[in-house]
Amino acid sequence: MPGEIKERWELTSESFQETADVSVGCNLGWEGLGDELLGDLSGQVAVELGCGGGQDTVGLVRRGADVVGVDLTRAQLEHARDLFAEHDVSVPVVEGDITDLPFAADEFDLAYNSYVFQWVPEFRAAVAEAHRVLRPGGRFVFSMPHPFFDLADPETHEIVESYFDTGRQVVHDGREEYPDLVTYRWTVSDVYNALVDAGFDVERLLEPGSSDPGDYEPGPWGNSPPELQAKLPGVLVVAATAR
C-alpha cells in the first residue's frame, strides 16, 4: 500500500478518532445490519482487516468471536489497544498491509472490515488475501463508501464526477501540514467481479438507506448532508462465502 496513505493516517489518527466519534459496535453503515449479516459469532475465529481504532473489533468480540486485528498504522493500533483496555477485552493486533496478510491459509471463519477499501489501491489483491486466509465456507462481510455518493456535489446535489473515473482520487482538504487525502474508487461491478474471481459466492449486496432526510445525521466533515444522503446510497455492504 502506498506510503502516502500510511503517512497521512499516522499523522491524522488522533484527530480522526476525536472528530469521527465512531461508536463501539459493528458499524457497517446502517443500524441493524450487524444483526442481519453477522448474528452470534460464538466459536468463530475472525480477522478484522483494517481494524483502525478498534471500535468494530470490540463489537465482534461482544458477538462471541475470537478476533485478530490488522491495521496499516501504528497510531491507529495504539488507539485500539487503549479501547480494548477500556472495555476489558484481549485482542491481538498486527501492524500490516491487508493485501499481504501475515497469516496462514485457511486460518479464519470470518473476515470483516468496515469502511477500509477506499484506502486500498490493490482491491483485487485485498480480496484474494481475504479468500486465502478464510477456510472453505468462511464468510467475508464488509462495507465501503458507495461509489455513487461522492459523485454528487454536497451543496447542489448535482453529479459533478464520472462514475467510470475509478482508481486513485486525490482531495486537497486545505490542511497543508498533512499529505493530500488519497482514496480509491471502484464501481459496484468491480467489487462483485473481484469477489467472484477470487473464489467467493456473493450472498448479499446491500445499499441500505431511506428517502427521509430525518433518518440521517450530517457527516462530521460536512460532505454528507442529510438531504443528499436521502437521495443517494452512502454505503455498499457485501456478504460473501469462500468456495
Side-chain angles (χ1 to χ4, degrees), residues 29-56:
W30 194 255
E31 187 174 354
L33 279 181
D35 293 333
E36 179 181 350
L37 297 178
L38 297 171
D40 183 8
L41 298 176
S42 296
Q44 299 282 295
V45 181
V47 57
E48 185 176 0
L49 307 174
C51 63
Q55 291 88 348
D56 285 61

Side-chain angles (χ1 to χ4, degrees), residues 3-63:
E4 60 190 354
I5 294 175
K6 178 179 174 63
E7 180 184 2
R8 183 178 172 100
W9 270 109
E10 294 286 11
L11 293 170
T12 61
S13 175
E14 184 173 353
S15 62
F16 172 83
Q17 292 297 334
E18 292 175 353
T19 306
D21 193 26
V22 180
S23 61
V24 171
C26 294
N27 298 288
L28 288 170
W30 194 255
E31 187 174 354
L33 279 181
D35 293 333
E36 179 181 350
L37 297 178
L38 297 171
D40 183 8
L41 298 176
S42 296
Q44 299 282 295
V45 181
V47 57
E48 185 176 0
L49 307 174
C51 63
Q55 291 88 348
D56 285 61
T57 320
V58 175
L60 294 171
V61 171
R62 286 178 173 176
R63 291 179 179 275

Side-chain angles (χ1 to χ4, degrees), residues 18 33 48 61 66 68 93 159 175 193:
E18 292 175 353
L33 279 181
E48 185 176 0
V61 171
D66 183 8
V68 176
V93 291
I159 300 299
R175 297 196 286 178
N193 290 327

